[in-house]
Amino acid sequence: MLGMLAYTQVGPRTSDGYLAVALLVIGAGIGATITPSMAAAFQAVSRAETPRATSALNAIQRIGGAIGTALFAIILQHAITATLPGHGGGDTAIAALSQHAPVHTAAALAAAFGTTFWVAVGLIAAALVPALLLPRPRRGAQASGGAA
């Protein structure tokens, strides 16, 4: 969530280093959350159900990723339309606008991306609630699991 918050502050002159550090934080957050959530999911199924659960989780991740990408593309397009009224839509119209008013266009596009990233922050915040409710391993199970 912290890395995504950094992306909400993107402006026309945001440095590549800032974006790289924010992306590193996002990657670390994803890495730190995917493994425990998968472990919790697999703890809830028996060994015999594990292959089907693996396939189901894989399909859910792929479908969710595709839906999320489409959702953010739609939000971004609406934000661009709201910040650059009369651009007519499409990359060529934005390119033409950026030739006539490059400073205004860059600021408007940065604001549109910022709006899109705020939606992402909201969705991450909403996902924190169920993530905090994931079952935790019992202390005895951790100790015996490490010894085995």
Side-chain angles (χ1 to χ4, degrees):
M1 192 155 107
L2 291 175
M4 200 60 69
L5 278 170
Y7 273 113
T8 65
Q9 305 306 309
V10 168
R13 300 198 191 291
T14 302
S15 73
D16 290 343
Y18 177 86
L19 297 174
V21 169
L23 188 59
L24 178 71
V25 171
I26 290 170
I30 289 172
T33 56
I34 293 292
T35 302
S37 61
M38 290 297 210
F42 285 120
Q43 274 183 338
V45 297
S46 69
R47 265 188 190 247
E49 295 171 322
T50 300
R52 286 191 315 196
T54 302
S55 298
L57 283 171
N58 191 0
I60 290 168
Q61 284 179 328
R62 290 177 188 275
I63 293 168
I67 291 171
T69 301
L71 172 73
F72 288 126
I74 291 168
I75 292 168
L76 179 60
Q77 183 61 45
H78 284 290
I80 289 171
T81 302
T83 57
L84 288 173
H87 73 62
D91 296 340
T92 54
I94 292 172
L97 259 178
S98 63
Q99 289 176 352
H100 298 292
V103 174
H104 171 71
T105 304
L109 288 174
F113 274 93
T115 299
T116 305
F117 285 120
W118 274 114
V119 172
V121 167
L123 289 173
I124 293 169
L128 282 176
V129 175
L132 293 173
L133 297 174
L134 284 173
R136 299 197 192 311
R138 287 172 260 141
R139 289 234 180 244
Q142 284 179 332
S144 66

mmCIF file with all atom_site columns, all heavy atoms in Angstrom, residues 94-125:
data_model
loop_
_atom_site.group_PDB
_atom_site.id
_atom_site.type_symbol
_atom_site.label_atom_id
_atom_site.label_alt_id
_atom_site.label_comp_id
_atom_site.label_asym_id
_atom_site.label_entity_id
_atom_site.label_seq_id
_atom_site.pdbx_PDB_ins_code
_atom_site.Cartn_x
_atom_site.Cartn_y
_atom_site.Cartn_z
_atom_site.occupancy
_atom_site.B_iso_or_equiv
_atom_site.pdbx_formal_charge
_atom_site.auth_seq_id
_atom_site.auth_comp_id
_atom_site.auth_asym_id
_atom_site.auth_atom_id
_atom_site.pdbx_PDB_model_num
ATOM 1   N N   . ILE A 1 94  ? -4.120  12.714 -27.745 1.00 0.00 ? 94  ILE A N   1
ATOM 2   C CA  . ILE A 1 94  ? -3.295  13.152 -26.620 1.00 0.00 ? 94  ILE A CA  1
ATOM 3   C C   . ILE A 1 94  ? -1.937  13.637 -27.125 1.00 0.00 ? 94  ILE A C   1
ATOM 4   O O   . ILE A 1 94  ? -1.408  14.635 -26.648 1.00 0.00 ? 94  ILE A O   1
ATOM 5   C CB  . ILE A 1 94  ? -3.140  12.029 -25.578 1.00 0.00 ? 94  ILE A CB  1
ATOM 6   C CG1 . ILE A 1 94  ? -4.486  11.774 -24.900 1.00 0.00 ? 94  ILE A CG1 1
ATOM 7   C CG2 . ILE A 1 94  ? -2.095  12.376 -24.544 1.00 0.00 ? 94  ILE A CG2 1
ATOM 8   C CD1 . ILE A 1 94  ? -4.504  10.575 -23.991 1.00 0.00 ? 94  ILE A CD1 1
ATOM 9   N N   . ALA A 1 95  ? -1.382  12.942 -28.098 1.00 0.00 ? 95  ALA A N   1
ATOM 10  C CA  . ALA A 1 95  ? -0.095  13.360 -28.670 1.00 0.00 ? 95  ALA A CA  1
ATOM 11  C C   . ALA A 1 95  ? -0.224  14.738 -29.316 1.00 0.00 ? 95  ALA A C   1
ATOM 12  O O   . ALA A 1 95  ? 0.665   15.583 -29.173 1.00 0.00 ? 95  ALA A O   1
ATOM 13  C CB  . ALA A 1 95  ? 0.392   12.330 -29.681 1.00 0.00 ? 95  ALA A CB  1
ATOM 14  N N   . ALA A 1 96  ? -1.327  14.973 -30.015 1.00 0.00 ? 96  ALA A N   1
ATOM 15  C CA  . ALA A 1 96  ? -1.533  16.277 -30.640 1.00 0.00 ? 96  ALA A CA  1
ATOM 16  C C   . ALA A 1 96  ? -1.676  17.360 -29.579 1.00 0.00 ? 96  ALA A C   1
ATOM 17  O O   . ALA A 1 96  ? -1.135  18.463 -29.720 1.00 0.00 ? 96  ALA A O   1
ATOM 18  C CB  . ALA A 1 96  ? -2.774  16.243 -31.527 1.00 0.00 ? 96  ALA A CB  1
ATOM 19  N N   . LEU A 1 97  ? -2.393  17.060 -28.513 1.00 0.00 ? 97  LEU A N   1
ATOM 20  C CA  . LEU A 1 97  ? -2.544  18.021 -27.417 1.00 0.00 ? 97  LEU A CA  1
ATOM 21  C C   . LEU A 1 97  ? -1.211  18.330 -26.765 1.00 0.00 ? 97  LEU A C   1
ATOM 22  O O   . LEU A 1 97  ? -0.937  19.468 -26.394 1.00 0.00 ? 97  LEU A O   1
ATOM 23  C CB  . LEU A 1 97  ? -3.496  17.453 -26.360 1.00 0.00 ? 97  LEU A CB  1
ATOM 24  C CG  . LEU A 1 97  ? -4.925  17.966 -26.355 1.00 0.00 ? 97  LEU A CG  1
ATOM 25  C CD1 . LEU A 1 97  ? -5.722  17.251 -25.287 1.00 0.00 ? 97  LEU A CD1 1
ATOM 26  C CD2 . LEU A 1 97  ? -5.003  19.450 -26.174 1.00 0.00 ? 97  LEU A CD2 1
ATOM 27  N N   . SER A 1 98  ? -0.387  17.308 -26.591 1.00 0.00 ? 98  SER A N   1
ATOM 28  C CA  . SER A 1 98  ? 0.889   17.517 -25.916 1.00 0.00 ? 98  SER A CA  1
ATOM 29  C C   . SER A 1 98  ? 1.835   18.391 -26.745 1.00 0.00 ? 98  SER A C   1
ATOM 30  O O   . SER A 1 98  ? 2.732   19.010 -26.196 1.00 0.00 ? 98  SER A O   1
ATOM 31  C CB  . SER A 1 98  ? 1.550   16.191 -25.563 1.00 0.00 ? 98  SER A CB  1
ATOM 32  O OG  . SER A 1 98  ? 1.860   15.473 -26.722 1.00 0.00 ? 98  SER A OG  1
ATOM 33  N N   . GLN A 1 99  ? 1.633   18.462 -28.051 1.00 0.00 ? 99  GLN A N   1
ATOM 34  C CA  . GLN A 1 99  ? 2.454   19.346 -28.886 1.00 0.00 ? 99  GLN A CA  1
ATOM 35  C C   . GLN A 1 99  ? 2.034   20.805 -28.709 1.00 0.00 ? 99  GLN A C   1
ATOM 36  O O   . GLN A 1 99  ? 2.864   21.699 -28.762 1.00 0.00 ? 99  GLN A O   1
ATOM 37  C CB  . GLN A 1 99  ? 2.352   18.946 -30.351 1.00 0.00 ? 99  GLN A CB  1
ATOM 38  C CG  . GLN A 1 99  ? 3.053   17.639 -30.655 1.00 0.00 ? 99  GLN A CG  1
ATOM 39  C CD  . GLN A 1 99  ? 2.859   17.204 -32.103 1.00 0.00 ? 99  GLN A CD  1
ATOM 40  O OE1 . GLN A 1 99  ? 2.083   17.791 -32.847 1.00 0.00 ? 99  GLN A OE1 1
ATOM 41  N NE2 . GLN A 1 99  ? 3.558   16.150 -32.491 1.00 0.00 ? 99  GLN A NE2 1
ATOM 42  N N   . HIS A 1 100 ? 0.723   21.031 -28.479 1.00 0.00 ? 100 HIS A N   1
ATOM 43  C CA  . HIS A 1 100 ? 0.224   22.400 -28.353 1.00 0.00 ? 100 HIS A CA  1
ATOM 44  C C   . HIS A 1 100 ? 0.378   22.945 -26.933 1.00 0.00 ? 100 HIS A C   1
ATOM 45  O O   . HIS A 1 100 ? 0.647   24.122 -26.760 1.00 0.00 ? 100 HIS A O   1
ATOM 46  C CB  . HIS A 1 100 ? -1.248  22.465 -28.777 1.00 0.00 ? 100 HIS A CB  1
ATOM 47  C CG  . HIS A 1 100 ? -1.458  22.090 -30.206 1.00 0.00 ? 100 HIS A CG  1
ATOM 48  N ND1 . HIS A 1 100 ? -1.016  22.869 -31.256 1.00 0.00 ? 100 HIS A ND1 1
ATOM 49  C CD2 . HIS A 1 100 ? -2.032  21.011 -30.766 1.00 0.00 ? 100 HIS A CD2 1
ATOM 50  C CE1 . HIS A 1 100 ? -1.329  22.283 -32.398 1.00 0.00 ? 100 HIS A CE1 1
ATOM 51  N NE2 . HIS A 1 100 ? -1.940  21.153 -32.135 1.00 0.00 ? 100 HIS A NE2 1
ATOM 52  N N   . ALA A 1 101 ? 0.201   22.098 -25.931 1.00 0.00 ? 101 ALA A N   1
ATOM 53  C CA  . ALA A 1 101 ? 0.298   22.538 -24.534 1.00 0.00 ? 101 ALA A CA  1
ATOM 54  C C   . ALA A 1 101 ? 0.968   21.445 -23.710 1.00 0.00 ? 101 ALA A C   1
ATOM 55  O O   . ALA A 1 101 ? 0.322   20.758 -22.926 1.00 0.00 ? 101 ALA A O   1
ATOM 56  C CB  . ALA A 1 101 ? -1.092  22.844 -24.004 1.00 0.00 ? 101 ALA A CB  1
ATOM 57  N N   . PRO A 1 102 ? 2.290   21.261 -23.901 1.00 0.00 ? 102 PRO A N   1
ATOM 58  C CA  . PRO A 1 102 ? 2.959   20.126 -23.266 1.00 0.00 ? 102 PRO A CA  1
ATOM 59  C C   . PRO A 1 102 ? 2.916   20.153 -21.739 1.00 0.00 ? 102 PRO A C   1
ATOM 60  O O   . PRO A 1 102 ? 2.745   19.121 -21.110 1.00 0.00 ? 102 PRO A O   1
ATOM 61  C CB  . PRO A 1 102 ? 4.395   20.206 -23.777 1.00 0.00 ? 102 PRO A CB  1
ATOM 62  C CG  . PRO A 1 102 ? 4.566   21.602 -24.259 1.00 0.00 ? 102 PRO A CG  1
ATOM 63  C CD  . PRO A 1 102 ? 3.215   22.076 -24.675 1.00 0.00 ? 102 PRO A CD  1
ATOM 64  N N   . VAL A 1 103 ? 3.050   21.329 -21.121 1.00 0.00 ? 103 VAL A N   1
ATOM 65  C CA  . VAL A 1 103 ? 3.059   21.401 -19.654 1.00 0.00 ? 103 VAL A CA  1
ATOM 66  C C   . VAL A 1 103 ? 1.683   21.043 -19.104 1.00 0.00 ? 103 VAL A C   1
ATOM 67  O O   . VAL A 1 103 ? 1.561   20.254 -18.163 1.00 0.00 ? 103 VAL A O   1
ATOM 68  C CB  . VAL A 1 103 ? 3.510   22.801 -19.178 1.00 0.00 ? 103 VAL A CB  1
ATOM 69  C CG1 . VAL A 1 103 ? 3.386   22.933 -17.676 1.00 0.00 ? 103 VAL A CG1 1
ATOM 70  C CG2 . VAL A 1 103 ? 4.929   23.070 -19.632 1.00 0.00 ? 103 VAL A CG2 1
ATOM 71  N N   . HIS A 1 104 ? 0.639   21.602 -19.695 1.00 0.00 ? 104 HIS A N   1
ATOM 72  C CA  . HIS A 1 104 ? -0.725  21.313 -19.244 1.00 0.00 ? 104 HIS A CA  1
ATOM 73  C C   . HIS A 1 104 ? -1.071  19.842 -19.460 1.00 0.00 ? 104 HIS A C   1
ATOM 74  O O   . HIS A 1 104 ? -1.652  19.203 -18.587 1.00 0.00 ? 104 HIS A O   1
ATOM 75  C CB  . HIS A 1 104 ? -1.729  22.207 -19.976 1.00 0.00 ? 104 HIS A CB  1
ATOM 76  C CG  . HIS A 1 104 ? -3.152  21.812 -19.726 1.00 0.00 ? 104 HIS A CG  1
ATOM 77  N ND1 . HIS A 1 104 ? -3.766  22.009 -18.504 1.00 0.00 ? 104 HIS A ND1 1
ATOM 78  C CD2 . HIS A 1 104 ? -4.076  21.212 -20.522 1.00 0.00 ? 104 HIS A CD2 1
ATOM 79  C CE1 . HIS A 1 104 ? -5.010  21.546 -18.568 1.00 0.00 ? 104 HIS A CE1 1
ATOM 80  N NE2 . HIS A 1 104 ? -5.214  21.061 -19.779 1.00 0.00 ? 104 HIS A NE2 1
ATOM 81  N N   . THR A 1 105 ? -0.710  19.316 -20.608 1.00 0.00 ? 105 THR A N   1
ATOM 82  C CA  . THR A 1 105 ? -1.022  17.919 -20.914 1.00 0.00 ? 105 THR A CA  1
ATOM 83  C C   . THR A 1 105 ? -0.295  16.968 -19.966 1.00 0.00 ? 105 THR A C   1
ATOM 84  O O   . THR A 1 105 ? -0.894  16.026 -19.452 1.00 0.00 ? 105 THR A O   1
ATOM 85  C CB  . THR A 1 105 ? -0.666  17.586 -22.378 1.00 0.00 ? 105 THR A CB  1
ATOM 86  O OG1 . THR A 1 105 ? -1.361  18.490 -23.239 1.00 0.00 ? 105 THR A OG1 1
ATOM 87  C CG2 . THR A 1 105 ? -1.058  16.171 -22.730 1.00 0.00 ? 105 THR A CG2 1
ATOM 88  N N   . ALA A 1 106 ? 0.977   17.218 -19.708 1.00 0.00 ? 106 ALA A N   1
ATOM 89  C CA  . ALA A 1 106 ? 1.744   16.354 -18.805 1.00 0.00 ? 106 ALA A CA  1
ATOM 90  C C   . ALA A 1 106 ? 1.154   16.390 -17.403 1.00 0.00 ? 106 ALA A C   1
ATOM 91  O O   . ALA A 1 106 ? 1.008   15.351 -16.750 1.00 0.00 ? 106 ALA A O   1
ATOM 92  C CB  . ALA A 1 106 ? 3.205   16.777 -18.785 1.00 0.00 ? 106 ALA A CB  1
ATOM 93  N N   . ALA A 1 107 ? 0.787   17.572 -16.920 1.00 0.00 ? 107 ALA A N   1
ATOM 94  C CA  . ALA A 1 107 ? 0.195   17.688 -15.578 1.00 0.00 ? 107 ALA A CA  1
ATOM 95  C C   . ALA A 1 107 ? -1.164  16.989 -15.521 1.00 0.00 ? 107 ALA A C   1
ATOM 96  O O   . ALA A 1 107 ? -1.483  16.320 -14.533 1.00 0.00 ? 107 ALA A O   1
ATOM 97  C CB  . ALA A 1 107 ? 0.062   19.156 -15.191 1.00 0.00 ? 107 ALA A CB  1
ATOM 98  N N   . ALA A 1 108 ? -1.951  17.135 -16.571 1.00 0.00 ? 108 ALA A N   1
ATOM 99  C CA  . ALA A 1 108 ? -3.270  16.499 -16.603 1.00 0.00 ? 108 ALA A CA  1
ATOM 100 C C   . ALA A 1 108 ? -3.149  14.979 -16.648 1.00 0.00 ? 108 ALA A C   1
ATOM 101 O O   . ALA A 1 108 ? -3.894  14.269 -15.967 1.00 0.00 ? 108 ALA A O   1
ATOM 102 C CB  . ALA A 1 108 ? -4.069  17.014 -17.804 1.00 0.00 ? 108 ALA A CB  1
ATOM 103 N N   . LEU A 1 109 ? -2.208  14.477 -17.431 1.00 0.00 ? 109 LEU A N   1
ATOM 104 C CA  . LEU A 1 109 ? -2.013  13.025 -17.499 1.00 0.00 ? 109 LEU A CA  1
ATOM 105 C C   . LEU A 1 109 ? -1.502  12.485 -16.167 1.00 0.00 ? 109 LEU A C   1
ATOM 106 O O   . LEU A 1 109 ? -1.929  11.417 -15.715 1.00 0.00 ? 109 LEU A O   1
ATOM 107 C CB  . LEU A 1 109 ? -1.044  12.667 -18.625 1.00 0.00 ? 109 LEU A CB  1
ATOM 108 C CG  . LEU A 1 109 ? -1.595  12.822 -20.043 1.00 0.00 ? 109 LEU A CG  1
ATOM 109 C CD1 . LEU A 1 109 ? -0.497  12.572 -21.073 1.00 0.00 ? 109 LEU A CD1 1
ATOM 110 C CD2 . LEU A 1 109 ? -2.763  11.893 -20.273 1.00 0.00 ? 109 LEU A CD2 1
ATOM 111 N N   . ALA A 1 110 ? -0.593  13.220 -15.519 1.00 0.00 ? 110 ALA A N   1
ATOM 112 C CA  . ALA A 1 110 ? -0.100  12.798 -14.201 1.00 0.00 ? 110 ALA A CA  1
ATOM 113 C C   . ALA A 1 110 ? -1.245  12.764 -13.198 1.00 0.00 ? 110 ALA A C   1
ATOM 114 O O   . ALA A 1 110 ? -1.345  11.831 -12.391 1.00 0.00 ? 110 ALA A O   1
ATOM 115 C CB  . ALA A 1 110 ? 1.007   13.732 -13.730 1.00 0.00 ? 110 ALA A CB  1
ATOM 116 N N   . ALA A 1 111 ? -2.128  13.743 -13.251 1.00 0.00 ? 111 ALA A N   1
ATOM 117 C CA  . ALA A 1 111 ? -3.289  13.761 -12.351 1.00 0.00 ? 111 ALA A CA  1
ATOM 118 C C   . ALA A 1 111 ? -4.214  12.576 -12.631 1.00 0.00 ? 111 ALA A C   1
ATOM 119 O O   . ALA A 1 111 ? -4.757  11.974 -11.697 1.00 0.00 ? 111 ALA A O   1
ATOM 120 C CB  . ALA A 1 111 ? -4.047  15.077 -12.493 1.00 0.00 ? 111 ALA A CB  1
ATOM 121 N N   . ALA A 1 112 ? -4.377  12.232 -13.895 1.00 0.00 ? 112 ALA A N   1
ATOM 122 C CA  . ALA A 1 112 ? -5.226  11.095 -14.246 1.00 0.00 ? 112 ALA A CA  1
ATOM 123 C C   . ALA A 1 112 ? -4.635  9.793  -13.717 1.00 0.00 ? 112 ALA A C   1
ATOM 124 O O   . ALA A 1 112 ? -5.359  8.946  -13.166 1.00 0.00 ? 112 ALA A O   1
ATOM 125 C CB  . ALA A 1 112 ? -5.404  11.019 -15.767 1.00 0.00 ? 112 ALA A CB  1
ATOM 126 N N   . PHE A 1 113 ? -3.336  9.631  -13.849 1.00 0.00 ? 113 PHE A N   1
ATOM 127 C CA  . PHE A 1 113 ? -2.688  8.436  -13.289 1.00 0.00 ? 113 PHE A CA  1
ATOM 128 C C   . PHE A 1 113 ? -2.789  8.433  -11.773 1.00 0.00 ? 113 PHE A C   1
ATOM 129 O O   . PHE A 1 113 ? -3.008  7.400  -11.156 1.00 0.00 ? 113 PHE A O   1
ATOM 130 C CB  . PHE A 1 113 ? -1.229  8.349  -13.753 1.00 0.00 ? 113 PHE A CB  1
ATOM 131 C CG  . PHE A 1 113 ? -1.063  7.682  -15.080 1.00 0.00 ? 113 PHE A CG  1
ATOM 132 C CD1 . PHE A 1 113 ? -1.034  8.432  -16.245 1.00 0.00 ? 113 PHE A CD1 1
ATOM 133 C CD2 . PHE A 1 113 ? -0.949  6.300  -15.168 1.00 0.00 ? 113 PHE A CD2 1
ATOM 134 C CE1 . PHE A 1 113 ? -0.892  7.816  -17.482 1.00 0.00 ? 113 PHE A CE1 1
ATOM 135 C CE2 . PHE A 1 113 ? -0.800  5.681  -16.395 1.00 0.00 ? 113 PHE A CE2 1
ATOM 136 C CZ  . PHE A 1 113 ? -0.772  6.439  -17.558 1.00 0.00 ? 113 PHE A CZ  1
ATOM 137 N N   . GLY A 1 114 ? -2.616  9.615  -11.151 1.00 0.00 ? 114 GLY A N   1
ATOM 138 C CA  . GLY A 1 114 ? -2.749  9.709  -9.703  1.00 0.00 ? 114 GLY A CA  1
ATOM 139 C C   . GLY A 1 114 ? -4.127  9.273  -9.235  1.00 0.00 ? 114 GLY A C   1
ATOM 140 O O   . GLY A 1 114 ? -4.259  8.531  -8.250  1.00 0.00 ? 114 GLY A O   1
ATOM 141 N N   . THR A 1 115 ? -5.164  9.694  -9.938  1.00 0.00 ? 115 THR A N   1
ATOM 142 C CA  . THR A 1 115 ? -6.528  9.281  -9.606  1.00 0.00 ? 115 THR A CA  1
ATOM 143 C C   . THR A 1 115 ? -6.673  7.768  -9.696  1.00 0.00 ? 115 THR A C   1
ATOM 144 O O   . THR A 1 115 ? -7.254  7.130  -8.813  1.00 0.00 ? 115 THR A O   1
ATOM 145 C CB  . THR A 1 115 ? -7.533  9.955  -10.565 1.00 0.00 ? 115 THR A CB  1
ATOM 146 O OG1 . THR A 1 115 ? -7.428  11.364 -10.421 1.00 0.00 ? 115 THR A OG1 1
ATOM 147 C CG2 . THR A 1 115 ? -8.953  9.504  -10.301 1.00 0.00 ? 115 THR A CG2 1
ATOM 148 N N   . THR A 1 116 ? -6.126  7.195  -10.733 1.00 0.00 ? 116 THR A N   1
ATOM 149 C CA  . THR A 1 116 ? -6.205  5.741  -10.914 1.00 0.00 ? 116 THR A CA  1
ATOM 150 C C   . THR A 1 116 ? -5.487  5.016  -9.782  1.00 0.00 ? 116 THR A C   1
ATOM 151 O O   . THR A 1 116 ? -5.984  4.020  -9.248  1.00 0.00 ? 116 THR A O   1
ATOM 152 C CB  . THR A 1 116 ? -5.606  5.346  -12.278 1.00 0.00 ? 116 THR A CB  1
ATOM 153 O OG1 . THR A 1 116 ? -6.266  6.089  -13.306 1.00 0.00 ? 116 THR A OG1 1
ATOM 154 C CG2 . THR A 1 116 ? -5.782  3.865  -12.544 1.00 0.00 ? 116 THR A CG2 1
ATOM 155 N N   . PHE A 1 117 ? -4.333  5.525  -9.380  1.00 0.00 ? 117 PHE A N   1
ATOM 156 C CA  . PHE A 1 117 ? -3.599  4.884  -8.292  1.00 0.00 ? 117 PHE A CA  1
ATOM 157 C C   . PHE A 1 117 ? -4.306  5.066  -6.954  1.00 0.00 ? 117 PHE A C   1
ATOM 158 O O   . PHE A 1 117 ? -4.182  4.219  -6.078  1.00 0.00 ? 117 PHE A O   1
ATOM 159 C CB  . PHE A 1 117 ? -2.152  5.382  -8.243  1.00 0.00 ? 117 PHE A CB  1
ATOM 160 C CG  . PHE A 1 117 ? -1.298  4.805  -9.344  1.00 0.00 ? 117 PHE A CG  1
ATOM 161 C CD1 . PHE A 1 117 ? -0.679  5.631  -10.263 1.00 0.00 ? 117 PHE A CD1 1
ATOM 162 C CD2 . PHE A 1 117 ? -1.130  3.434  -9.464  1.00 0.00 ? 117 PHE A CD2 1
ATOM 163 C CE1 . PHE A 1 117 ? 0.102   5.096  -11.282 1.00 0.00 ? 117 PHE A CE1 1
ATOM 164 C CE2 . PHE A 1 117 ? -0.353  2.895  -10.474 1.00 0.00 ? 117 PHE A CE2 1
ATOM 165 C CZ  . PHE A 1 117 ? 0.267   3.728  -11.382 1.00 0.00 ? 117 PHE A CZ  1
ATOM 166 N N   . TRP A 1 118 ? -5.071  6.158  -6.778  1.00 0.00 ? 118 TRP A N   1
ATOM 167 C CA  . TRP A 1 118 ? -5.857  6.301  -5.555  1.00 0.00 ? 118 TRP A CA  1
ATOM 168 C C   . TRP A 1 118 ? -6.918  5.207  -5.471  1.00 0.00 ? 118 TRP A C   1
ATOM 169 O O   . TRP A 1 118 ? -7.208  4.686  -4.396  1.00 0.00 ? 118 TRP A O   1
ATOM 170 C CB  . TRP A 1 118 ? -6.503  7.680  -5.459  1.00 0.00 ? 118 TRP A CB  1
ATOM 171 C CG  . TRP A 1 118 ? -5.606  8.704  -4.846  1.00 0.00 ? 118 TRP A CG  1
ATOM 172 C CD1 . TRP A 1 118 ? -5.072  9.803  -5.454  1.00 0.00 ? 118 TRP A CD1 1
ATOM 173 C CD2 . TRP A 1 118 ? -5.115  8.723  -3.499  1.00 0.00 ? 118 TRP A CD2 1
ATOM 174 N NE1 . TRP A 1 118 ? -4.280  10.501 -4.565  1.00 0.00 ? 118 TRP A NE1 1
ATOM 175 C CE2 . TRP A 1 118 ? -4.293  9.862  -3.364  1.00 0.00 ? 118 TRP A CE2 1
ATOM 176 C CE3 . TRP A 1 118 ? -5.287  7.890  -2.400  1.00 0.00 ? 118 TRP A CE3 1
ATOM 177 C CZ2 . TRP A 1 118 ? -3.655  10.179 -2.166  1.00 0.00 ? 118 TRP A CZ2 1
ATOM 178 C CZ3 . TRP A 1 118 ? -4.646  8.209  -1.206  1.00 0.00 ? 118 TRP A CZ3 1
ATOM 179 C CH2 . TRP A 1 118 ? -3.846  9.342  -1.098  1.00 0.00 ? 118 TRP A CH2 1
ATOM 180 N N   . VAL A 1 119 ? -7.504  4.841  -6.606  1.00 0.00 ? 119 VAL A N   1
ATOM 181 C CA  . VAL A 1 119 ? -8.474  3.738  -6.618  1.00 0.00 ? 119 VAL A CA  1
ATOM 182 C C   . VAL A 1 119 ? -7.773  2.442  -6.204  1.00 0.00 ? 119 VAL A C   1
ATOM 183 O O   . VAL A 1 119 ? -8.308  1.647  -5.425  1.00 0.00 ? 119 VAL A O   1
ATOM 184 C CB  . VAL A 1 119 ? -9.141  3.598  -8.010  1.00 0.00 ? 119 VAL A CB  1
ATOM 185 C CG1 . VAL A 1 119 ? -10.001 2.351  -8.086  1.00 0.00 ? 119 VAL A CG1 1
ATOM 186 C CG2 . VAL A 1 119 ? -9.962  4.837  -8.325  1.00 0.00 ? 119 VAL A CG2 1
ATOM 187 N N   . ALA A 1 120 ? -6.557  2.235  -6.705  1.00 0.00 ? 120 ALA A N   1
ATOM 188 C CA  . ALA A 1 120 ? -5.790  1.045  -6.333  1.00 0.00 ? 120 ALA A CA  1
ATOM 189 C C   . ALA A 1 120 ? -5.499  1.031  -4.836  1.00 0.00 ? 120 ALA A C   1
ATOM 190 O O   . ALA A 1 120 ? -5.606  -0.011 -4.177  1.00 0.00 ? 120 ALA A O   1
ATOM 191 C CB  . ALA A 1 120 ? -4.485  0.976  -7.128  1.00 0.00 ? 120 ALA A CB  1
ATOM 192 N N   . VAL A 1 121 ? -5.146  2.181  -4.274  1.00 0.00 ? 121 VAL A N   1
ATOM 193 C CA  . VAL A 1 121 ? -4.899  2.263  -2.828  1.00 0.00 ? 121 VAL A CA  1
ATOM 194 C C   . VAL A 1 121 ? -6.159  1.896  -2.059  1.00 0.00 ? 121 VAL A C   1
ATOM 195 O O   . VAL A 1 121 ? -6.118  1.156  -1.072  1.00 0.00 ? 121 VAL A O   1
ATOM 196 C CB  . VAL A 1 121 ? -4.392  3.674  -2.425  1.00 0.00 ? 121 VAL A CB  1
ATOM 197 C CG1 . VAL A 1 121 ? -4.436  3.880  -0.920  1.00 0.00 ? 121 VAL A CG1 1
ATOM 198 C CG2 . VAL A 1 121 ? -2.998  3.907  -2.953  1.00 0.00 ? 121 VAL A CG2 1
ATOM 199 N N   . GLY A 1 122 ? -7.298  2.389  -2.524  1.00 0.00 ? 122 GLY A N   1
ATOM 200 C CA  . GLY A 1 122 ? -8.573  2.051  -1.869  1.00 0.00 ? 122 GLY A CA  1
ATOM 201 C C   . GLY A 1 122 ? -8.863  0.564  -1.907  1.00 0.00 ? 122 GLY A C   1
ATOM 202 O O   . GLY A 1 122 ? -9.320  -0.015 -0.908  1.00 0.00 ? 122 GLY A O   1
ATOM 203 N N   . LEU A 1 123 ? -8.599  -0.067 -3.035  1.00 0.00 ? 123 LEU A N   1
ATOM 204 C CA  . LEU A 1 123 ? -8.831  -1.511 -3.145  1.00 0.00 ? 123 LEU A CA  1
ATOM 205 C C   . LEU A 1 123 ? -7.868  -2.296 -2.261  1.00 0.00 ? 123 LEU A C   1
ATOM 206 O O   . LEU A 1 123 ? -8.247  -3.308 -1.655  1.00 0.00 ? 123 LEU A O   1
ATOM 207 C CB  . LEU A 1 123 ? -8.712  -1.957 -4.601  1.00 0.00 ? 123 LEU A CB  1
ATOM 208 C CG  . LEU A 1 123 ? -9.851  -1.498 -5.506  1.00 0.00 ? 123 LEU A CG  1
ATOM 209 C CD1 . LEU A 1 123 ? -9.550  -1.837 -6.965  1.00 0.00 ? 123 LEU A CD1 1
ATOM 210 C CD2 . LEU A 1 123 ? -11.166 -2.113 -5.083  1.00 0.00 ? 123 LEU A CD2 1
ATOM 211 N N   . ILE A 1 124 ? -6.627  -1.835 -2.172  1.00 0.00 ? 124 ILE A N   1
ATOM 212 C CA  . ILE A 1 124 ? -5.658  -2.502 -1.292  1.00 0.00 ? 124 ILE A CA  1
ATOM 213 C C   . ILE A 1 124 ? -6.097  -2.355 0.157   1.00 0.00 ? 124 ILE A C   1
ATOM 214 O O   . ILE A 1 124 ? -6.040  -3.318 0.935   1.00 0.00 ? 124 ILE A O   1
ATOM 215 C CB  . ILE A 1 124 ? -4.244  -1.928 -1.504  1.00 0.00 ? 124 ILE A CB  1
ATOM 216 C CG1 . ILE A 1 124 ? -3.730  -2.293 -2.892  1.00 0.00 ? 124 ILE A CG1 1
ATOM 217 C CG2 . ILE A 1 124 ? -3.288  -2.441 -0.431  1.00 0.00 ? 124 ILE A CG2 1
ATOM 218 C CD1 . ILE A 1 124 ? -2.469  -1.556 -3.299  1.00 0.00 ? 124 ILE A CD1 1
ATOM 219 N N   . ALA A 1 125 ? -6.545  -1.155 0.532   1.00 0.00 ? 125 ALA A N   1
ATOM 220 C CA  . ALA A 1 125 ? -7.020  -0.940 1.900   1.00 0.00 ? 125 ALA A CA  1
ATOM 221 C C   . ALA A 1 125 ? -8.215  -1.843 2.206   1.00 0.00 ? 125 ALA A C   1
ATOM 222 O O   . ALA A 1 125 ? -8.302  -2.407 3.309   1.00 0.00 ? 125 ALA A O   1
ATOM 223 C CB  . ALA A 1 125 ? -7.385  0.528  2.105   1.00 0.00 ? 125 ALA A CB  1
#
